[in-house]
Amino acid sequence: MRRSVLGLFLFALSQAVWASVNIEHWQTAEGSRVFFVHAGSLPIADIVVAFDAGSARDGKRAGLAALTTGLLEEGAGTWNADQIAERFESVGANFGASISSDMASVTLRTLTDKPLFDKALDTMHVILTQPAFREADFQREKKRTLAGLKQREESPGDLADIAFSKALYGDHPYGHPDSGLIETVSPLKASDLRAFYRQYYVAANAVVVIVGDLSKEQAEQTVTTLLKDLPTGQKPAPLADVVMPAKASTQNIKFPSAQTHVLVGMPGIERKDPDFFSLYVGNHILGGSGLVSKLFDEIREKRGLAYSASSAFSPMRKKGPFVLGLQTRNDQTGEALKVLNQTLADFIAKGPTEAELTAAKKNITGGFPMRFDTNKKLANYVAMIGFYDMPLDYLDTFTQKVEEVTVASISDAFKRHIKIDLLQTVTVGNDEKTNGGK
């Protein structure tokens, strides 16, 4: 009953609206970068500890970073997974661990009442500094991962994603799926995870974000408690730059499905690219705004070729993907792909209209505050800002940056970053006639 009440209490207190965000930043003696936002209206705190330890650090052992992160909460110190879960549940706290291509992170949401907070923090500290990587836990998680990878072979969408990443990035660290491949996960040993953890889960490679009802002094003590016993270590070497594809390519992968999955794109931009806002707003018009985007209008509304069509930039440490995607009936693949490519080409050539730009700005800026209207959402945003060395006033100036975008800046940015003759196309489905929409 106590756990239920606390859980409801945390949920009920999760809503808060931010007018302005004051991010305080400092660096520990061991090199950890800390970002703190005081949010005193609710007695909760959200904590994120992120490491430059995403799947891009796998090397030739794709899946290593994901397994390492996944094992963290399976056993630490003298506790097993059930005991760790019980410790968090007993104080109404939520803990999680995840990875992306760039980042491995652990998160904690807890009440700030001292006895509850201290127990949650102590548990997170042990997970961070004393992960067990026990053989039995490793074998169980590895078996589960391999089962998932085998099941992935039955998903045309997943197969399209894998082929698309390989087409864009080749042997670059972004070229493989986060969860790895059967042939790279199978030979992994628990000792590989321990070695990966020792190299990357170090203080010098850590970004700590705290958002909640804590003073700065309490935040400083929280960081000290969390990271004590964590070796100083060192930051990993920067990732290699992305080598752009030499030419356009098309892969048609046969799969016995009723629908064909279509992905088109190329490496896009880095997280700190100065053209981000022009490309972001432009993409909102092209395919990022759902039911009112150009792609949706041309492909779904005018021709009924797909239930949806979209496009997105995913800025990363290095050039993240720019991707356009849809699913369509097998025999319509060629036509859908042709419309997709033509819509992109027209947008690059002509850009949006003033009316489209005005509508996009209104839509983006109107909904922006809701993207970080809770501690948890805000903590994730601040983690992004800290991890990618973004300006601390990023959230406060976001609307201004969007308003400064013009039709000319969108056209210029798209022409410089997106090249039709470098687009990589992947289709996965059962269409005999797909020819890349040429």
Side-chain angles (χ1 to χ4, degrees):
M1 175 61 73
R2 183 187 183 199
R3 291 197 297 269
S4 298
V5 171
L6 287 170
L8 288 172
F9 183 55
L10 282 174
F11 177 79
L13 293 180
S14 64
Q15 304 304 309
V17 176
W18 305 90
S20 178
V21 179
N22 177 32
I23 303 175
E24 297 187 70
H25 169 53
W26 64 90
Q27 185 164 313
T28 69
E30 293 76 22
S32 301
R33 293 181 296 126
V34 184
F35 299 84
F36 168 60
V37 178
H38 171 69
S41 61
L42 304 172
I44 58 176
D46 282 270
I47 300 171
V48 180
V49 183
F51 299 91
D52 184 344
S55 64
R57 299 298 179 182
D58 280 338
K60 295 186 180 301
R61 294 175 291 186
L64 176 57
L67 262 178
T68 302
T69 305
L71 260 290
L72 290 179
E73 56 184 317
E74 293 301 313
T78 60
W79 307 321
N80 60 30
D82 290 339
Q83 291 167 321
I84 289 173
E86 173 60 27
R87 285 183 64 86
F88 284 128
E89 288 173 3
S90 69
V91 295
N94 293 321
F95 177 85
S98 63
I99 72 159
S100 63
S101 295
D102 284 335
M103 185 191 314
S105 60
V106 293
T107 60
L108 176 68
R109 160 164 275 209
T110 178
L111 292 163
T112 51
D113 179 72
K114 184 169 176 51
L116 307 179
F117 184 77
D118 287 348
K119 185 174 182 179
L121 200 64
D122 179 61
T123 308
M124 189 180 194
H125 162 69
V126 174
I127 291 172
L128 276 175
T129 60
Q130 303 174 47
F133 298 119
R134 296 186 183 95
E135 184 65 25
D137 295 332
F138 167 71
Q139 291 298 340
R140 183 184 65 250
E141 288 304 305
K142 178 178 168 180
K143 185 176 181 180
R144 185 186 62 80
T145 298
L146 288 171
L149 298 181
K150 183 65 177 176
Q151 188 175 31
R152 190 175 63 189
E153 295 179 348
E154 301 172 2
S155 166
D158 288 342
L159 294 178
D161 287 339
I162 294 171
F164 185 69
S165 293
K166 192 67 176 177
L168 261 61
Y169 296 107
D171 293 330
H172 186 273
Y174 288 166
H176 64 266
D178 295 345
S179 54
L181 305 164
I182 291 177
E183 59 268 30
T184 58
V185 171
S186 296
L188 290 179
K189 301 175 181 177
S191 58
D192 296 323
L193 276 62
R194 296 190 190 99
F196 187 89
Y197 165 80
R198 287 194 296 271
Q199 181 175 356
Y200 292 106
Y201 286 72
V202 295
N205 193 33
V207 173
V208 183
V209 173
I210 301 172
V211 176
D213 185 23
L214 300 172
S215 66
K216 183 175 181 181
E217 291 71 24
Q218 288 173 313
E220 291 173 334
Q221 183 57 50
T222 296
V223 175
T224 300
T225 299
L226 271 180
L227 302 186
K228 70 181 180 183
D229 307 321
L230 202 63
T232 300
Q234 58 187 2
K235 286 184 176 182
L239 293 174
D241 289 338
V242 171
V243 177
M244 299 298 278
K247 59 182 181 180
S249 73
T250 298
Q251 294 181 58
N252 304 313
I253 300 173
K254 294 290 292 181
F255 193 89
S257 57
Q259 294 269 313
T260 294
H261 290 247
V262 176
L263 295 175
V264 178
M266 59 180 290
I269 56 171
E270 298 180 3
R271 181 74 254 186
K272 297 175 69 173
D273 195 296
D275 288 325
F276 168 77
F277 283 96
S278 291
L279 294 171
Y280 175 72
V281 176
N283 181 70
H284 188 85
I285 300 165
L286 172 64
S289 55
L291 303 182
V292 295
S293 72
K294 282 182 171 291
L295 286 175
F296 189 90
D297 184 54
E298 294 293 335
I299 292 170
R300 168 63 190 272
E301 293 297 312
K302 292 183 178 177
R303 298 172 177 84
L305 294 171
Y307 285 113
S308 67
S310 63
S311 63
F313 284 94
S314 298
M316 295 160 63
R317 182 79 83 187
K318 298 298 180 181
K319 292 179 183 293
F322 167 65
V323 56
L324 306 94
L326 59 82
Q327 297 175 45
T328 188
R329 207 174 66 204
N330 288 325
D331 62 349
Q332 298 180 146
T333 303
E335 183 181 0
L337 192 48
K338 186 174 183 178
V339 175
L340 186 82
N341 284 325
Q342 189 59 55
T343 304
L344 174 62
D346 289 345
F347 190 77
I348 294 174
K350 303 174 184 174
T353 65
E354 288 289 352
E356 289 170 337
L357 177 59
T358 299
K361 287 180 178 180
K362 185 177 181 180
N363 185 262
I364 291 171
T365 58
F368 182 66
M370 300 305 292
R371 297 187 185 184
F372 54 100
D373 61 351
T374 68
N375 281 5
K376 184 176 181 178
K377 292 179 186 177
L378 179 59
N380 289 332
Y381 255 105
V382 176
M384 181 274 288
I385 291 168
F387 187 83
Y388 289 109
D389 298 314
M390 306 290 285
L392 295 185
D393 64 355
Y394 175 83
L395 296 175
D396 290 333
T397 61
F398 183 92
T399 297
Q400 174 192 335
K401 298 289 187 183
V402 169
E403 293 292 354
E404 290 172 354
V405 171
T406 65
V407 168
S409 72
I410 290 174
S411 295
D412 177 60
F414 265 81
K415 286 174 181 173
R416 285 187 287 106
H417 288 279
I418 306 303
K419 306 295 184 184
I420 295 295
D421 58 356
L422 297 184
L423 291 177
Q424 308 299 300
T425 301
V426 172
T427 68
V428 178
N430 199 28
D431 178 31
E432 297 286 348
K433 300 178 180 177
T434 299
N435 62 2
K438 306 297 182 185

